Amino acid sequence: MSDTPSAAPASDCTEPRTALTPPEVEALVRGICFKTGPPRTVGVEVEWLVHELRTPQLPVTPERLEAAYAALRTVPLRSALTIEPGGQLELSSPPATSLMECIGTVSADLDAVRSVLAGQDLGLVGIGHDPWHPPRRFLHERRYDAMETCLDRTGPAGRRMMCTSASVQVCLDAGYEEPGPLGHGRRWLLAHQLGAVLVAAFANSPLARREPTGWRSTRQLLWLEIGPGRAGAPPLDEDPRRAWARHVLDAPVMCIREDEGPWGVPEGLTFREWAGSGAPRPPTREDLDYHITTLFPPVRPRGFLELRMIDAQPGEDGWIVPLAVTKALFDDPEAAETAYRTVKPLAERAMSLPAPHNPLWIDAARGGLADPELREAAVTCFTAALDALPRLGATTQVTDAVAAYLDRYVIKGRSPADDLLDRVRGTDRRPHGKDLRTS
């Protein structure tokens, strides 16, 4: 799934016109949010900013974007191609049975996409937040009109998230029902504690309007500013199913969809209240599915776990490193145990507050791996992932990419955000250091 609600979200429910009561909502959510079993599949969703191939600082006109996307819709892809409200491009892989299958599918699709875009003098850039342009809506549809109205109530962060952000989202199975390194309870905790390390290690959005924002991950700052009701996690001190179901019920409703005319945008109405009152119309199971897609926590359970905290990465293949590292730290039992023991002490810094609205996640987004404790944890976790990847069938090319990232960034307490800041400040000694293109 993308950062924005889809027109027809996938549903695990039947009878979409059946009205729901609050107890039915809780039972449904608890039944579908964590589908347990052996971790077998992996997926990735890669978002990109689309830019002028030769002069990325210039905005791409809506007419050129529309022509490019019309051409892309004729290209057979295995991944799902979607367009975000600001014109960002997203590829969502099908579930893959191995890391290398996932990488192969998305790499082939990206080659095809880049070829078509190059014919239009356009390219893809991997940065977590557009460093040049203010937010501008490309898609004008009822769901995005409603979304904009809703998010504007808390400030400008919502529009920026919709139109100027991009990410790498890793999707993993929820895990076994039973406890242990691959159990769903342990994986749920690991995702929220390791998540701060992933934010810091892959931070790549330090700029807005060509100026430093003071945050290594400005994209994470946007989620903070959107607020905990829409972009926060549930508490971690209770059963994951119960906590998530309660969170879904108590989260504000973004919009009430209608067959005709604009969608209603209620203010301060939770899904629990909507289901309890049945006004302005009773919510259906389809409404519940859609409501869940309008919640943007850093880890979203959709039957599987959707890890949403990683900024888009530089380079044509930069997305492979966070995918490989995350897959290894969750699905290799030895690496998962190492990661869990490494990040468990970090939970004290969270002060029992849900992510990302706690000191640990804020420090990760602001300072990245300049934070000594986060840097130490990242070195240990990346090293464990590197050891595990051959056991998961990773090729030498993939392990070499992870090793290079470990040496270039993690060990030095840096991330791609620091490269961008060096270029802006004129402290980058590499050739073409002031060129903000990262692909």
Side-chain angles (χ1 to χ4, degrees):
M1 295 298 298
S2 64
D3 279 347
T4 49
S6 66
S11 172
D12 294 282
C13 305
T14 58
E15 302 177 17
R17 295 298 179 183
T18 302
L20 296 175
T21 64
E24 289 172 331
V25 171
E26 184 165 0
L28 279 168
V29 174
R30 291 180 66 170
I32 65 176
C33 60
F34 292 89
K35 294 180 178 177
T36 53
R40 290 195 177 101
T41 61
V42 60
V44 68
E45 302 170 16
V46 287
E47 293 176 338
W48 305 84
L49 305 178
V50 179
H51 66 88
E52 294 280 357
L53 198 57
R54 296 169 182 82
T55 52
Q57 300 85 349
L58 296 178
V60 181
T61 66
E63 293 77 14
R64 293 191 63 211
L65 278 178
E66 185 56 54
Y69 292 146
L72 282 174
R73 292 186 187 103
T74 68
V75 178
L77 302 171
R78 289 197 61 200
S79 303
L81 171 69
T82 54
I83 309 303
E84 296 296 302
Q88 309 98 305
L89 183 148
E90 178 182 90
L91 287 178
S92 302
S93 74
T97 58
S98 71
L99 172 65
M100 293 313 303
E101 178 188 338
C102 184
I103 290 173
T105 296
V106 178
S107 295
D109 287 343
L110 278 169
D111 286 345
V113 167
R114 287 194 175 97
S115 177
V116 171
L117 291 179
Q120 308 275 342
D121 287 327
L122 298 175
L124 301 176
V125 63
I127 303 179
H129 181 267
D130 192 321
W132 306 291
H133 310 123
R136 179 194 65 178
R137 283 269 301 280
F138 170 68
L139 298 179
H140 295 276
E141 301 171 7
R142 291 189 297 172
R143 62 184 181 276
Y144 298 132
D145 292 342
M147 186 179 189
E148 186 175 271
T149 298
C150 175
L151 294 178
D152 277 352
R153 291 171 179 162
T154 58
R159 289 195 185 204
R160 293 170 65 190
M161 178 276 290
M162 291 172 65
C163 300
T164 62
S165 69
S167 68
V168 176
Q169 298 179 25
V170 180
C171 301
L172 300 164
D173 287 329
Y176 288 100
E177 186 68 29
E178 299 78 12
L182 303 185
H184 79 280
R186 172 77 72 87
R187 287 160 75 86
W188 178 247
L189 289 173
L190 176 62
H192 289 87
Q193 293 165 356
L194 178 64
V197 177
L198 298 177
V199 168
F202 294 111
N204 187 35
S205 52
L207 306 173
R209 309 250 183 139
R210 308 181 188 225
E211 296 294 331
T213 64
W215 294 70
R216 295 299 197 279
S217 179
T218 301
R219 178 177 163 273
Q220 276 299 310
L221 173 61
L222 300 183
W223 295 121
L224 286 167
E225 293 178 339
I226 287 171
R230 183 71 52 200
L236 298 179
D237 57 356
E238 60 180 317
D239 173 75
R241 289 189 177 95
R242 185 183 305 114
W244 178 246
R246 189 174 301 164
H247 185 73
V248 169
L249 273 164
D250 292 334
V253 174
M254 175 176 285
C255 56
I256 297 177
R257 298 176 298 165
E258 303 292 348
D259 292 334
E260 297 180 0
W263 292 356
V265 185
E267 190 163 5
L269 177 70
T270 68
F271 202 91
R272 186 188 302 275
E273 292 167 339
W274 186 17
S277 69
R281 63 167 178 78
T284 67
R285 295 184 178 190
E286 191 177 26
D287 290 320
L288 172 62
D289 286 336
Y290 191 84
H291 171 65
I292 292 173
T293 73
T294 71
L295 304 180
F296 310 126
V299 183
R300 186 163 60 181
R302 305 291 306 281
F304 54 90
L305 298 182
E306 184 184 65
L307 278 66
R308 305 166 45 81
M309 71 287 296
I310 300 169
D311 282 355
Q313 294 297 289
E316 291 191 356
D317 299 326
W319 58 275
I320 293 175
V321 174
L323 170 63
V325 168
T326 306
K327 165 73 172 172
L329 294 177
F330 275 83
D331 287 358
D332 179 84
E334 183 178 336
E337 185 66 25
T338 298
Y340 182 73
R341 292 181 179 180
T342 299
V343 302
K344 189 175 181 180
L346 296 175
E348 294 182 6
R349 290 176 58 178
M351 300 176 62
S352 299
L353 298 173
H357 301 83
N358 64 49
L360 173 64
W361 280 66
I362 291 170
D363 290 345
R366 182 185 284 121
L369 293 184
D371 183 295
E373 194 172 14
L374 286 169
R375 174 188 173 186
E376 182 179 357
V379 170
T380 301
C381 288
F382 270 69
T383 301
L386 194 57
D387 290 342
L389 282 169
R391 296 193 291 269
L392 296 177
T395 63
T396 301
Q397 185 177 9
V398 171
T399 57
D400 285 350
V402 173
Y405 197 97
L406 173 63
D407 290 340
R408 177 177 175 180
Y409 293 118
V410 180
I411 290 174
K412 297 177 181 177
R414 291 173 59 88
S415 74
D418 293 291
D419 289 349
L420 291 172
L421 291 171
D422 283 347
R423 297 173 199 181
V424 168
R425 295 165 178 164
T427 55
D428 187 354
R429 298 179 180 178
R430 293 177 303 159
H432 311 297
K434 293 187 179 181
D435 184 354
L436 287 182
R437 286 176 294 182
T438 57
S439 64

